[in-house]
């Protein structure tokens, strides 16, 4: 089992920045993928950004150039720096950990006002 604890959501004006963090604990495998997904009201959950334990990254087209994902393998943490936020970034953001199984955090609300 893996437990994920997220932090850093909140309310920000358009053009502002937020940083999300997620700490994983439990049965962590050295080879894994961690990342962030989001779900807006009435929409499906979608990938925002993921990063492998080796450092490879993948971003949704909608956030490229604005968001940056990073991780600390020693601490089993992943962070998402979100800049130039837009109202359409408003959603619940979920941290995900994956190796042979997949685990989700409880979600943190990000609200961007226009």
């Amino acid at each position: 089992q893996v437990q994920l604890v997220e932090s850093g959501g909140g309310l920000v004006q358009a053009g502002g920045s937020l940083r999300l963090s997620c700490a994983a604990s439990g049965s962590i495998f050295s080879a894994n993928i961690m990342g962030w997904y989001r779900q807006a009201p009435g929409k499906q959950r979608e990938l925002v950004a993921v990063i492998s334990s080796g450092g490879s990254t993948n971003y949704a087209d909608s956030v490229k150039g604005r968001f940056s994902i990073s991780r600390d393998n020693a601490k089993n943490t992943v962070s998402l720096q979100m800049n130039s936020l837009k109202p359409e970034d408003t959603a619940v953001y979920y941290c995900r950990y994956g190796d042979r199984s997949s685990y989700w955090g409880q979600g943190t609300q990000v609200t961007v006002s226009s």
Side-chain angles (χ1 to χ4, degrees), residues 37-52:
Y37 292 68
R38 66 187 181 189
Q39 188 166 17
K43 295 187 177 181
Q44 290 189 333
R45 191 172 299 187
E46 63 176 4
L47 179 148
V48 177
V50 292
I51 183 168
S52 72

Side-chain angles (χ1 to χ4, degrees), residues 6-114:
E6 301 146 336
S7 60
L11 172 66
V12 66
Q13 289 188 333
S17 299
L18 282 174
R19 185 176 180 86
L20 305 182
S21 295
C22 175
S25 62
S27 300
I28 306 295
F29 284 87
S30 58
N32 61 70
I33 295 177
M34 296 186 71
W36 294 92
Y37 292 68
R38 66 187 181 189
Q39 188 166 17
K43 295 187 177 181
Q44 290 189 333
R45 191 172 299 187
E46 63 176 4
L47 179 148
V48 177
V50 292
I51 183 168
S52 72
S53 48
S56 298
T57 59
N58 187 35
Y59 292 90
D61 287 343
S62 60
V63 307
K64 284 180 180 177
R66 300 189 298 122
F67 291 10
S68 178
I69 191 169
S70 61
R71 64 184 291 163
D72 184 331
N73 289 336
K75 297 180 179 179
N76 294 319
T77 59
V78 63
S79 297
L80 184 69
Q81 179 65 42
M82 305 185 293
N83 299 326
S84 301
L85 282 160
K86 305 175 180 180
E88 50 264 44
D89 294 318
T90 295
V92 177
Y93 283 69
Y94 295 90
C95 177
R96 179 182 178 271
Y97 167 94
D99 47 55
R100 285 169 286 183
S101 299
S102 180
Y103 300 89
W104 294 90
Q106 78 282 2
T108 184
Q109 178 70 46
V110 171
T111 303
V112 185
S113 63
S114 57

